[in-house]
Amino acid sequence: MLYWKYVARQVQSDCNCKSHNVPGCFLGNALLSITKDAWTEEHNSGLRPLKRNSEKKYLSCSLRLNNNNISELHDLQKTVSHFLVEPSQLAWLDLSFNKISHIDQVLCELRDLRVLYLHGNSIYILSEVDRLGVLPHLHTITLHGNVIETNKAYRRWTSVL
């Protein structure tokens, strides 16, 4: 919990949408299979409801799609655009505890991404993670609980990061 608060403050101070709420739009535990399934879901507002614009899009720079059954990310850009007022300013994306096995190229298009949670998935090709090196602001990525942990080079690779 303490780490989550630190990351939330860091994202809030880093991203261009400083006035927007963090943790952002939460669609976790909705049993989504693909990101497009999220379009019919209602955000779980929790204790602090997020602000919306006239089009009912969220004034946030973060999206939480954790604890679902998502295996494909090809619709991710459309999903981000569906929920967020400024999709190009997505700074925090939580895809933890899904069924993602590959680092899809669509993640590399999220140029303002600073925090990416991918822990608890099925990612198994270590070299695919290198694709994320094109993201200039990415400072936090979680990969524990993925198959790549069993790769002998994993520890050495993470220490170089």
Side-chain angles (χ1 to χ4, degrees):
M1 185 67 163
L2 182 60
Y3 178 74
W4 180 86
K5 287 180 182 177
Y6 166 76
V7 172
R9 278 192 220 110
Q10 186 65 35
V11 169
Q12 209 167 24
S13 66
D14 283 355
C15 74
N16 296 329
C17 53
K18 291 178 183 170
S19 64
H20 300 171
N21 293 325
V22 172
C25 185
F26 176 63
L27 295 160
N29 302 312
L31 301 178
L32 309 174
S33 296
I34 57 174
T35 53
K36 192 174 181 179
D37 288 346
W39 298 7
T40 60
E41 292 294 320
E42 185 64 29
H43 159 74
N44 180 356
S45 63
L47 298 175
R48 257 187 357 194
L50 291 175
K51 295 176 184 173
R52 289 182 170 197
N53 70 358
S54 60
E55 297 173 341
K56 301 281 189 203
K57 291 187 178 190
Y58 295 100
L59 297 168
S60 179
C61 57
S62 58
L63 183 61
R64 296 173 63 194
L65 294 166
N66 59 304
N67 293 80
N68 286 295
N69 293 315
I70 297 170
S71 59
E72 297 291 326
L73 297 174
H74 60 274
D75 288 330
L76 183 62
Q77 285 283 23
K78 291 178 185 175
T79 301
V80 172
S81 295
H82 177 80
F83 284 103
L84 303 182
V85 171
E86 300 175 41
S88 64
Q89 292 186 359
L90 180 66
W92 179 352
L93 179 60
D94 185 349
L95 292 167
S96 62
F97 299 105
N98 277 290
K99 296 184 178 183
I100 299 165
S101 59
H102 294 281
I103 303 293
D104 196 292
Q105 188 62 34
V106 72
L107 291 173
C108 300
E109 297 166 11
L110 304 171
R111 303 302 291 170
D112 267 8
L113 198 63
R114 286 153 168 72
V115 176
L116 178 60
Y117 288 173
L118 288 170
H119 57 276
N121 278 288
S122 302
I123 299 167
Y124 63 94
I125 301 174
L126 190 58
S127 61
E128 286 187 0
V129 181
D130 290 335
R131 293 178 184 169
L132 301 173
V134 300
L135 299 174
H137 305 290
L138 186 66
H139 60 71
T140 303
I141 180 172
T142 60
L143 292 165
H144 56 279
N146 281 284
V147 180
I148 59 172
E149 277 188 316
T150 62
N151 184 318
K152 292 177 183 174
Y154 177 74
R155 284 221 186 264
R156 186 172 56 252
W157 180 86
T158 56
S159 65
V160 172
L161 297 176

